[in-house]
Amino acid sequence: MTDQASAADSATPEIPGKPTAASRTTLSHIMTHNDTNLLGTVHGGVIMKLVDDAAGAVAGRHSGGPAVTASMDEMVFLEPVRVGDLVHVKAQVNWTGRTSMEVGVRVLAERWNESAPPTQVGSAYLVFAAVDADGKPRPVPPVIPETERDKRRYQEAQIRRTHRLARRRAIRELREKRAAEGFED
């Protein structure tokens, strides 16, 4: 190890890790007529806001302060949500980098007046960046996967991150190539 690397390592004290369960949360909400789209089901944007709210709470809990949505990697709607459904948005940190974290979210729905088990109606993966008072990135604690399911989610999050970075790089390279060929976008 070089002296520069040693100095850099000692300049950033290691933050103790946090177990997955430390920041896991569930947000529940009853859907009303105010939440509907033109088809009479709950608007996808309403569900996306609940997803972002729950994920933001988890990211803030895990990082110990403010965190902002950097990207929504994927939002999948599996079933429609109806007026009168009790929606449960379950979120947890799947993976952490130096200043960012992936939060996985499952969306479940059940009829408010029935005792049938909830049905999964959606899922999403969001990337959050922890920020300081000036809006600059700040370090986050590593996440410590506890269960086999947590370990699988951690590994899958690493795959998504690799794909995200490769996609960004490929798009940047394509744009640079087109610009070198004289194309303006």
Side-chain angles (χ1 to χ4, degrees), residues 52 56 59-60 63 65-71 99-101 126-131 135 138:
D52 191 46
S63 68
V68 295
T69 311
S71 69
T99 61
S100 65
M101 57 211 120
L126 297 88
V127 177
F128 278 78
V131 294
R138 63 181 174 79

Side-chain angles (χ1 to χ4, degrees), residues 4-182:
Q4 285 180 328
S6 299
D9 290 342
S10 63
T12 309
E14 187 161 329
I15 301 171
K18 287 186 177 179
T20 306
S23 57
R24 190 178 287 143
T25 195
T26 300
L27 172 69
S28 297
H29 189 80
I30 293 179
M31 298 290 106
T32 68
H33 284 93
N34 293 334
D35 301 317
T36 59
N37 59 25
L38 295 175
L39 297 175
T41 57
V42 172
H43 194 290
V46 170
I47 300 300
M48 290 173 76
K49 179 173 183 341
L50 293 173
V51 164
D52 191 46
D53 287 347
V58 166
R61 279 181 175 182
H62 183 82
S63 68
V68 295
T69 311
S71 69
M72 181 178 274
D73 216 28
E74 183 177 313
M75 177 78 216
V76 178
F77 297 100
L78 302 169
E79 299 282 337
V81 177
R82 300 171 293 163
V83 169
D85 280 355
L86 178 57
V87 172
H88 307 286
V89 184
K90 298 175 174 283
Q92 75 172 46
V93 173
N94 290 336
W95 175 90
T96 53
R98 193 179 66 74
T99 61
S100 65
M101 57 211 120
E102 182 195 271
V103 178
V105 182
R106 288 182 50 215
V107 183
L108 306 164
E110 61 181 314
R111 296 305 294 168
W112 69 272
N113 59 348
E114 296 175 9
S115 60
T119 302
Q120 184 170 352
V121 295
S123 66
Y125 300 102
L126 297 88
V127 177
F128 278 78
V131 294
D132 63 17
D134 297 323
K136 304 290 184 208
R138 63 181 174 79
V140 298
V143 68
I144 302 169
E146 300 171 284
T147 66
E148 286 305 313
R149 177 182 270 183
D150 293 340
K151 290 174 186 171
R152 175 187 52 81
R153 288 177 175 167
Y154 185 91
Q155 292 169 332
E156 290 172 357
Q158 288 178 306
I159 293 168
R160 281 187 291 276
R161 180 174 188 276
T162 299
H163 287 213
R164 229 181 358 264
L165 294 174
R167 183 178 61 237
R168 266 189 225 149
R169 186 173 48 255
I171 290 170
R172 185 182 66 245
E173 289 170 0
L174 174 64
R175 288 179 179 175
E176 289 170 356
K177 178 181 178 232
R178 289 182 53 81
E181 293 171 351

